[in-house]
Amino acid sequence: MTGQAEPRGVSEPLFYEPGARWRTVAFGPVFCTVALIVELATGPVVHWVALPVLAIVLAGFAYLMVTAARRHVSVELTRTGLRQGTEELEVGEIEAVLPPAMDSWDEPQRWESARVLGELANVPRGRTAIGLRLRGGTFVRAWAKDADRLRVRLGELVGA
C-alpha cells in the first residue's frame, strides 16, 4: 500500500447488481404474520407456536439463499475490474465486447460455448450472457440481468 489516496472514480462502481435483495428474508415472517392475523380474526384455532417457528425457519433458509446469491451471482464493474460472483477480471484484459447472439445466425458464435465467468457451470438463471474476447484470443461469457447496460458500460471502458 502506497499510502496515497486513489483517484476519484477509480473504485466507484459503474455497474452493480447485488444478486439478491435482503428484503427477501422478510417474506416468510410477513406471510406467517398475515396467517396469524387471519387465524385470530376467523377461527377458534390459533397456531401460536407453529407460525413463529415456521417464520424463523423460512427466514433462516432465505438468509442462506440471499447470502449465497450475493456472493456467487453479484456483478460489479469498476474502471479497473469486472467482478462476476467470486471471480475478478481486470478490464485491461478485455480486448473486445462481442455483439449479442442473434437467432438468425445459422451457427452459434464461438463465445456462446465459452467458459462462464464467476466459477459457475453456466450463466445463472435470469441472466443474459455477454461475449468477451480477452487478450490472447480467449473467449469468456460475462452475464447480468441488465446485460444491455453492462455491455454498454464494458464497451465504454474497452473502447476508451
Side-chain angles (χ1 to χ4, degrees):
M1 190 150 166
T2 62
Q4 297 178 358
E6 277 187 58
R8 184 166 173 77
V10 170
S11 63
E12 293 175 10
L14 302 173
F15 179 87
Y16 178 71
E17 288 181 353
R21 306 251 186 238
W22 285 113
R23 65 178 174 236
T24 306
V25 176
F27 289 164
V30 166
F31 291 140
C32 288
T33 302
V34 169
L36 182 63
I37 292 168
V38 169
E39 284 186 354
L40 287 169
T42 62
V45 177
V46 178
H47 296 93
W48 290 106
V49 176
L51 286 171
V53 169
L54 183 60
I56 291 169
V57 169
L58 289 173
F61 281 127
Y63 174 81
L64 292 174
M65 296 300 290
V66 169
T67 301
R70 291 181 73 87
R71 182 173 297 140
H72 297 287
V73 193
S74 61
V75 179
E76 183 176 20
L77 175 66
T78 64
R79 295 193 185 285
T80 58
L82 170 64
R83 184 182 55 76
Q84 300 247 242
T86 58
E87 185 174 352
E88 293 187 24
L89 176 67
E90 289 185 28
V91 171
E93 291 293 315
I94 302 171
E95 186 175 280
V97 179
L98 304 171
M102 299 288 187
D103 292 334
S104 61
W105 292 342
D106 292 336
E107 294 187 23
Q109 300 298 302
R110 287 180 56 195
W111 69 264
E112 292 182 84
S113 60
R115 180 180 74 83
V116 176
L117 292 175
E119 300 177 355
L120 300 171
N122 208 341
V123 175
R125 187 177 65 204
R127 275 66 176 179
T128 303
I130 301 169
L132 302 176
R133 185 176 64 234
L134 304 180
R135 306 236 181 259
T138 306
F139 292 96
V140 294
R141 288 184 287 169
W143 42 265
K145 279 187 176 183
D146 190 355
D148 294 333
R149 199 175 82 171
L150 179 58
R151 183 185 309 279
V152 167
R153 295 292 187 171
L154 281 168
E156 292 170 354
L157 289 176
V158 171

